Amino acid sequence: LFGRTRPVAVPDTPHTMIKAGGTYLITGGCGGLGLLFARYLADTYGARLILTGRSALTPEKEQTIASLSAGKGSAVYLQSDICNAREMKQGLAGLKLTGPINGIIHAAGISEPQSMFEKSANDFQRVLDPKIRGTLVLDEILAGPVDFVCYFSSSSAVLGDFGACDYAVGNRFQMAWARYRNGLQGPGKTIAVSWPLWRDGGMTGNDHEKTGFYLKTSGQRFLGADEGMALFEGVLNADMPHLLPLVGDKARIHGFLDLDRAQEIPETKRPRNNQNSQDTQGNEPLETRVYDDLREQMSRLLKIPPDHFEKEENLAESGFDSLGLTDFAEM
């Protein structure tokens, strides 16, 4: 559907799509990543912010709103469920906005770390709703054209989500919907940014040990707030509906994503099991015996026949995610 992942250059230009003093709606705007961007827009552009969330306005949130309004920008909090179109429409109408909404950041989302086999259908749906239903509701409630709609997707849409599945599916939908909306060729642009793990903003992963192992094996590191904001400005100017920004060791990340593998498939491959071979288990080279043992362990973990695995194949291509790699390393 989306083609092969390929590296691209993010535009580095002084031009910005964000208007000074513009009005911006941020779903999930009082928590995690949404709040990081709310502060950036308020401090940098004096933006007027509409921050939405399902929970009630607590003293802590009141303090957050006051701090955002203390400088050049201003902020209001709208308690509303992004999955409820009627509630969102009524809430926005009650704000009596004096001008149009210039842009939307859809940062609302739920991530639950349990494996899909440990979840009920309701658990699965609860994670999908903000990403899928919430994305559709935004289209329903838009009163007029906006400069941009930016879905805060996740790298899990491309790289997987440690076996939870629901979070990856929801974020993958946002990638597809961004492409669809741009295809309508209406005013403004739509982009889905599949953010990696951030150092701040509540996106550091739930299991620190496994998260650290994932970053190490993939060549990544946490994304810092300043470079994240610079990337955001760049992707708004990019002429594509989806981007997956990753930071760290470029060569290792390219290897992890298999970006450098040749496109051509060899005409012939050496048979995995040569029945005419005179070797036996007892006199096979040590390297071959170790490789066979490792294939057996991989087969038990992934429930895949040993002949499925190729010696030169990236483990991610074989079906391993970071959780599986951790189990494999501990065997």
Side-chain angles (χ1 to χ4, degrees), residues 48-325:
R48 296 175 292 178
L49 302 171
I50 305 167
L51 310 181
T52 77
R54 293 182 301 167
S55 58
L57 184 61
T58 62
E60 182 181 2
K61 283 190 177 69
E62 288 181 340
Q63 187 175 1
T64 296
I65 297 298
S67 68
L68 290 171
S69 303
K72 297 186 295 182
S74 64
V76 295
Y77 181 71
L78 174 60
Q79 183 187 353
S80 185
D81 184 356
I82 186 56
C83 299
N84 188 322
R86 182 178 178 182
E87 191 175 289
M88 286 291 296
K89 286 179 181 177
Q90 290 177 342
L92 289 172
L95 294 178
K96 295 182 172 58
L97 300 176
T98 58
I101 293 175
N102 300 110
I104 293 176
I105 294 176
H106 183 20
I110 301 170
S111 175
E112 297 180 348
Q114 297 89 350
S115 162
M116 63 177 292
F117 300 108
E118 301 173 303
K119 296 180 178 181
S120 67
N122 287 337
D123 294 333
F124 206 89
Q125 191 66 48
R126 186 167 56 250
V127 175
L128 292 181
D129 278 345
K131 294 290 183 179
I132 298 179
R133 178 60 185 158
T135 296
L136 299 177
V137 163
L138 282 173
D139 281 358
E140 237 183 289
I141 66 174
L142 284 177
V146 295
D147 297 332
F148 67 85
V149 177
C150 185
Y151 305 134
F152 277 12
S153 177
S154 159
S155 59
S156 67
V158 179
L159 307 179
D161 61 2
F162 300 92
C165 186
D166 45 14
Y167 194 61
V169 168
N171 285 294
R172 188 77 174 186
F173 172 83
Q174 291 184 318
M175 287 171 54
W177 197 253
R179 182 178 292 268
Y180 168 75
R181 283 189 98 252
N182 281 310
L184 297 177
Q185 297 181 340
K189 70 176 298 181
T190 310
I191 187 166
V193 185
S194 292
W195 291 116
L197 295 172
W198 286 61
R199 185 177 297 111
D200 305 302
M203 291 184 66
T204 57
N206 297 294
D207 187 314
H208 295 298
E209 183 177 352
K210 288 180 179 177
T211 297
F213 182 78
Y214 162 71
L215 292 174
K216 183 177 180 180
T217 56
S218 65
Q220 297 182 65
R221 60 172 173 80
F222 287 119
L223 180 67
D226 289 343
E227 59 188 345
M229 299 307 161
L231 274 169
F232 176 67
E233 295 272 15
V235 299
L236 287 181
N237 290 307
D239 186 22
M240 56 194 70
H242 168 251
L243 282 169
L244 167 66
L246 298 175
V247 292
D249 186 313
K250 181 178 178 179
R252 291 182 62 194
I253 290 174
H254 278 213
F256 176 67
L257 296 176
D258 206 16
L259 295 179
D260 300 321
R261 188 174 68 173
Q263 296 292 320
E264 296 79 17
I265 299 176
E267 293 183 5
T268 60
K269 290 184 178 180
R270 184 174 60 86
R272 296 185 182 95
N273 294 312
N274 188 348
Q275 294 180 350
N276 297 322
S277 172
Q278 300 300 313
D279 288 338
T280 64
Q281 182 66 29
N283 60 16
E284 284 181 340
L286 177 61
E287 178 185 346
T288 301
R289 281 180 281 163
V290 170
Y291 172 57
D292 288 341
D293 286 344
L294 290 175
R295 284 201 308 173
E296 290 295 332
Q297 293 182 34
M298 292 160 67
S299 174
R300 288 198 297 271
L301 273 175
L302 297 181
K303 306 296 189 294
I304 294 174
D307 285 353
H308 169 83
F309 305 104
E310 293 281 358
K311 185 179 293 187
E312 304 299 328
E313 188 174 45
N314 190 305
L315 290 179
E317 292 289 327
S318 301
F320 275 97
D321 57 16
S322 295
L323 184 62
L325 286 171

